[in-house]
Amino acid sequence: MQLHAMNTLKNLYKTGLILAFGLLYSGCKKFLEEDPKNFVSTANFYTTADDAISAVNSIYAYLNAINEGSFAGVYHSSFWVAAGLASDELHNQQPGAPALDQLANFTYASQNSALLEIWRIHYKAITVANIAIERIPAIDMDGTLRTRLIGEARFLRALLYFNMVRMFGSIPLVLQEEEPLVPEVAAVEIIYQQIIADLEEAEALPFSYPAGNGRGRATTGAAKALLAKVYLTLANWEQAAAKALEIINEPRHEYGLWDDYAQAFSIGNRGGKEAVFSVGFGFAGGAIIFWEDGQQNIRLLPRELTGMIPGVNAQGWQYPTQQLYDVFEPNDRRRAVTFITEINNQDGSTTSIMPYIRKYWDSLAEPNAGGTEADFPVIRYADVLLTYAEAANELNQTEAALTYLNIIRRRARFDGSTYQNTLPDYTNLGRDAIRQAILQERRMEFVAEGHRWFDLVRTGTLETAVPIAKPGVTPAARNYLFPIPLEERDLNEHLPANGY
């Protein structure tokens, strides 16, 4: 555990102050509403069911809101941006952000401040999860609720470690509230064993929650879906396929694809059938969300919109590679939903612009764009289907792989009102061709959802894919891991350099 995060949290406990973000669970309180229960003494905390709920909600807080200083939540504005820039997906033009330029151009090293932020916010969240997992069992409370809250905390810890081990490789595996300040790193295999153990326990979570009281919470479906992705990453094809099928064949089946790709990003469909696990933003009722708007639109929508529409705060800091836009067939519904290439002027004319990403902008619900209350989709049902297709293909079950790959393909034929006779199904393909088709469909399906770098690394295609989209930019073998931040290595001599 890096020193700043651990010392900060220990000092909070020793001085008797705990920032209980999770007290928002019972209703959406605004940030500036002062509540004396936000600060409680160590002696009084972890004694009631409300304390336990607050402890777990505080983990969710580290996924979305800006928590302290310049550090944003995991899915607010760092993790998914880095995964897009360090691939063939996104370019950077954010002023004063050389760390993001370095990610996009593969010139980053261990001094990169964006990677330092990702490292620190993940370990801060892991620390809060560890404390909840360790202390909640001793609380005298309803046993079912206690088990559920521990399961949620273990799911979140697994998610955070899954992000980190894929990005940085061998890292400290911190599992208790009290750990050495300079811990040894754990082998990658040991970290994955812990991730799997946490997710297997989290599989006992509820399938769903009462309406208005559970959007954004981890479920058994989320645990199974993440476990399937873990097995896929480990090339454990049989278990990846089996776990994905458990979700697909669930008899209480509440998951599914919306007919229209655009519906997956509609504000009104937050927490709907395609959302296996999402991170909530804004003020919508009944969700594990806090006061911060998401930054998807601020970062991705073109600056040309600013000034066209009152109140718009579109900056266009990250934008797609032209090659990404070009791989979409013209009548692929996902292209029209994902990108914006024209601005409607107030005089009725249009102005053509280079492609930007608009998929998160529900212009009916949020006409002013900018900050958004749209959820960030960590795992969509489409990911479950494509996980199964990939695992089945690696098991030489090509017919099954094509069936589920073509479910995604079929949805892309829907033009908003009807299914068109376009984008024909994939047929008569061998295993290698199916493997390429799945990677291509994942690329088009999950633009700016934080998957692309991980997909290229998992499939060993980072070095070949990036130069096609970014001529002159060539990743090296070391870019299959990110460098552990130098500031952390200065604090802990056990941390490896990762080849940087």
Side-chain angles (χ1 to χ4, degrees):
M1 176 67 188
Q2 53 82 24
L3 291 178
H4 295 310
M6 182 166 282
N7 284 335
T8 297
L9 282 156
K10 285 185 177 179
N11 288 338
L12 285 173
Y13 282 93
K14 288 177 180 178
T15 58
L17 295 177
I18 300 169
L19 182 56
F21 290 104
L23 292 169
L24 298 178
Y25 89 98
S26 60
C28 293
K29 296 177 183 286
K30 299 200 174 169
F31 174 49
L32 295 179
E33 289 181 355
E34 186 172 319
D35 185 338
K37 289 189 293 183
N38 280 349
F39 297 95
V40 296
S41 70
T42 305
N44 293 333
F45 205 63
Y46 296 113
T47 59
T48 70
D50 282 349
D51 295 341
I53 293 170
S54 295
V56 173
N57 283 0
S58 66
I59 314 169
Y60 288 102
Y62 276 96
L63 301 186
N64 51 16
I66 290 178
N67 294 294
E68 57 180 88
S70 62
F71 293 101
V74 171
Y75 292 96
H76 183 271
S77 54
S78 58
F79 173 74
W80 64 270
V81 173
L85 289 173
S87 72
D88 57 356
E89 186 174 68
L90 297 178
H91 291 297
N92 182 64
Q93 59 182 5
Q94 183 173 343
L100 299 184
D101 291 332
Q102 294 161 13
L103 289 173
N105 298 326
F106 287 83
T107 57
Y108 53 82
S110 58
Q111 298 92 340
N112 187 277
S113 61
L115 295 176
L116 176 63
E117 180 171 333
I118 290 170
W119 177 280
R120 287 184 172 173
I121 194 61
H122 274 78
Y123 268 117
K124 288 179 181 182
I126 287 168
T127 297
V128 177
N130 288 341
I131 293 168
I133 292 166
E134 189 166 319
R135 294 207 181 189
I136 290 175
I139 297 176
D140 184 12
M141 59 183 291
D142 177 77
T144 300
L145 178 59
R146 182 197 298 116
T147 300
R148 193 202 88 194
L149 291 172
I150 295 171
E152 289 183 66
R154 293 193 69 166
F155 169 85
L156 295 171
R157 184 170 69 180
L159 173 64
L160 294 160
Y161 270 124
F162 185 48
N163 289 346
M164 291 290 282
V165 72
R166 289 182 296 165
M167 292 184 76
F168 298 106
S170 294
I171 54 175
L173 181 61
V174 181
L175 299 173
Q176 281 81 41
E177 180 177 348
E178 295 293 334
E179 290 276 4
L181 289 180
V182 285
E184 301 275 356
V185 298
V188 167
E189 294 80 6
I190 300 300
I191 298 170
Y192 273 110
Q193 287 175 16
Q194 183 61 50
I195 291 169
I196 291 169
D198 278 347
L199 291 175
E200 286 178 342
E201 179 159 327
E203 287 185 275
L205 284 168
F207 185 78
S208 61
Y209 293 86
N213 193 33
R215 184 171 68 82
R217 287 197 179 277
T219 62
T220 182
K224 291 177 186 295
L226 186 56
L227 195 48
K229 288 175 68 69
V230 169
Y231 286 135
L232 193 75
T233 302
L234 295 174
N236 189 331
W237 313 121
E238 290 186 1
Q239 289 188 270
K243 198 56 63 175
L245 270 183
E246 286 184 35
I247 304 169
I248 293 168
N249 295 332
E250 166 60 50
R252 299 163 294 181
H253 197 50
E254 294 184 6
Y255 297 120
L257 298 181
W258 296 103
D259 289 337
D260 187 354
Y261 183 72
Q263 291 175 287
F265 308 98
S266 167
I267 296 291
N269 289 336
R270 288 174 301 196
K273 62 182 179 179
E274 195 162 339
V276 179
F277 184 72
S278 301
V279 173
F281 288 95
F283 290 102
I288 304 302
I289 55 175
F290 297 83
W291 58 87
E292 287 295 332
D293 287 342
Q295 281 207 340
Q296 300 98 300
N297 289 337
I298 293 173
R299 291 183 169 275
L300 299 176
L301 286 173
R303 290 202 63 169
E304 287 86 346
L305 286 175
T306 303
M308 293 284 186
I309 304 172
V312 165
N313 181 23
Q315 298 297 321
W317 288 331
Q318 285 80 45
Y319 63 98
T321 62
Q322 183 65 44
Q323 193 257 349
L324 170 61
Y325 177 80
D326 291 343
V327 300
F328 286 79
E329 297 174 60
N331 40 17
D332 187 326
R333 172 63 171 166
R334 293 171 298 190
R335 189 176 84 160
V337 172
T338 300
F339 302 105
I340 180 172
T341 58
E342 287 186 341
I343 301 295
N344 296 319
N345 301 314
Q346 294 177 348
D347 63 4
S349 62
T350 61
T351 300
S352 295
I353 60 171
M354 70 181 194
Y356 283 85
I357 296 169
R358 64 146 295 147
K359 68 189 285 184
Y360 292 108
W361 184 25
D362 184 338
S363 57
L364 294 179
E366 296 180 332
N368 290 341
T372 180
E373 294 187 5
D375 286 354
F376 188 87
V378 179
I379 306 175
R380 288 196 286 114
Y381 185 61
D383 199 355
V384 176
L385 298 178
L386 288 173
T387 294
Y388 176 71
E390 185 171 339
N393 184 57
E394 297 300 332
L395 293 169
N396 284 315
Q397 299 169 4
T398 54
E399 184 176 346
L402 285 172
T403 295
Y404 284 90
L405 177 59
N406 285 327
I407 291 174
I408 300 297
R409 189 76 167 167
R410 179 177 183 270
R411 202 255 294 268
R413 293 197 286 267
F414 191 80
D415 69 358
S417 57
T418 59
Y419 288 93
Q420 300 296 312
N421 187 24
T422 57
L423 302 180
D425 283 355
Y426 294 105
T427 58
N428 299 319
L429 299 181
R431 188 169 70 165
D432 288 345
I434 295 174
R435 186 182 295 127
Q436 295 173 18
I438 290 171
L439 186 60
Q440 182 86 315
E441 290 298 318
R442 289 188 62 86
R443 187 183 190 191
M444 296 185 290
E445 184 72 23
F446 302 121
V447 171
E449 295 185 38
H451 293 296
R452 187 58 178 171
W453 181 83
F454 298 101
D455 284 347
L456 293 179
V457 167
R458 188 184 72 255
T459 57
T461 54
L462 184 70
E463 294 163 277
T464 55
V466 170
I468 298 172
K470 299 177 176 178
V473 176
T474 304
R478 71 178 187 177
N479 296 126
Y480 282 81
L481 288 175
F482 288 104
I484 292 178
L486 182 61
E487 285 191 32
E488 300 302 317
R489 288 169 48 212
D490 287 342
L491 295 169
N492 184 351
E493 63 183 4
H494 302 305
L495 297 178
N498 278 1
Y500 290 84

